[in-house]
Each structure stands twice: as structure tokens, then as C-alpha cells.
Amino acid sequence: MQVVIHDLDEALFRALVPLEEEAMVLTADNRYAPCRGCLKCWLKQDGYCVYTDKLQHIGGILGRGDPLWIISRNCFGGYSSAVKAVLDRAVGVSLPFFTYRGGQTHHLCRYPRRKLMQVYLYGETTPLEESAARKMVRKNGWNLGYDQEEVFFAPAVEQFWERVH
């Protein structure tokens, strides 16, 4: 199932982004409670967040998501604060145990590994920001359980679908 996390205006998103028929779309609109860091999703609730909003099952949603698309405004080589807040709630996608991958210590995945995570960052981007974004996305991909990560950059979100799809 395709999962999309985005920070776009809903009308612009619907007009621009081609979706699979059964895609799960999470609009990062700052209407979700922020992660409080209680770790109950790890230790007591098998990946489920204590908050009872649309992100309560974000671990399971991302655990089934393949491909995962993240569409975000570029913020100094990172995600917008709204997209980051959604991803912060996804800590339940992993387990509180460690493994060694890619020369670094990472958490074990709660769900089977998935194939592809694609990140689309729009807005002006410097070479330093692009480098930082590529490193961030690679590490996010490892932690979220994806085998491959791709990052695309464009000055405006409208340009992605001309270039990529």
C-alpha cells in the first residue's frame, strides 16, 4: 500500500500528486499531537501511540507502506516542522532493541523491511542542504525499515511530476 506524508495545501496535493487507488494519505497540517516521548509505543502498546488521533497507528501504517512518499518543503536540508512532527510519532515502527547496520547502531524493525522510500523536497536548496538531506533520508530509511531511499529536489513542487513520473 502506498503511503504519502505531505505538507501541501490539500487542493494542490489532489491536483498534482498521482496516487495508487488504495493509497493512505497523511496530511502534515500541525493538527496532530506531538510525540511526548513516553515510549509506550515501544514498551507497552506494540507500536500503537497513546494519543487517539489519526496517527495512533502510524507505526503500523508505515509498517505496511511500500512505497512511502514524503513530500515536504525544504527546511535547511530537512523536512518542514509539520512533516517532522508526523515522523516523530512513527517511533513505534521500530523495536527497543538494537542492531548494527551500515556501520552504525540502529533499532530493529517491528515490521518486515519494505522496498522504497522516496522523499520530494521542494523550495530553493543549496548544495550543502542537498547533502544534508541525502544523509538524513538515508538514515530515516534505515530506521523506518526501507531497503532503498531516493531524494528528489525541485524549486517548486509542481516540477516534481514533470521530472520524476
Side-chain angles (χ1 to χ4, degrees):
M1 169 181 71
Q2 178 184 26
V3 174
V4 180
I5 300 170
H6 74 91
D7 63 2
L8 302 174
D9 171 76
E10 202 61 35
L12 179 62
F13 175 79
R14 297 273 178 224
L16 289 178
V17 181
L19 295 174
E20 293 177 5
E21 194 168 303
E22 295 184 17
M24 167 63 90
V25 177
L26 297 169
T27 303
D29 55 9
N30 285 318
R31 293 185 181 167
Y32 306 115
C35 178
R36 68 181 192 186
C38 68
L39 301 181
K40 288 183 180 176
C41 59
W42 270 359
L43 304 173
K44 292 186 177 184
Q45 299 194 182
D46 294 328
Y48 298 112
C49 183
V50 297
Y51 291 126
T52 56
D53 59 11
K54 191 173 180 180
L55 297 181
Q56 182 177 22
H57 302 286
I58 186 73
I61 291 167
L62 293 183
R64 292 187 317 268
D66 201 3
L68 169 62
W69 287 4
I70 299 173
I71 304 167
S72 175
R73 180 176 46 86
N74 169 46
C75 292
F76 305 103
Y79 305 120
S80 68
S81 61
V83 168
K84 173 76 168 68
V86 171
L87 292 174
D88 285 349
R89 292 277 301 274
V91 72
V93 78
S94 60
L95 294 166
F97 306 108
F98 297 100
T99 187
Y100 196 69
R101 284 193 308 255
Q104 297 179 350
T105 303
H106 292 275
H107 288 281
L108 291 172
C109 293
R110 185 179 299 274
Y111 302 96
R113 291 192 62 78
R114 276 98 48 227
K115 294 178 185 173
L116 182 60
M117 176 176 142
Q118 294 178 313
V119 174
Y120 301 90
L121 293 176
Y122 62 90
E124 294 300 320
T125 308
T126 68
L128 185 59
E129 289 172 334
E130 285 191 20
S131 175
R134 289 182 196 287
K135 289 176 187 174
M136 175 195 65
V137 169
R138 182 175 56 246
K139 291 179 181 184
N140 287 165
W142 288 342
N143 287 331
L144 292 173
Y146 288 90
D147 291 329
Q148 180 182 356
E149 309 83 25
E150 297 176 348
V151 187
F152 303 95
F153 302 93
V157 71
E158 295 85 358
Q159 295 172 329
F160 278 127
W161 316 117
E162 298 166 6
R163 294 181 187 180
V164 179
H165 297 285

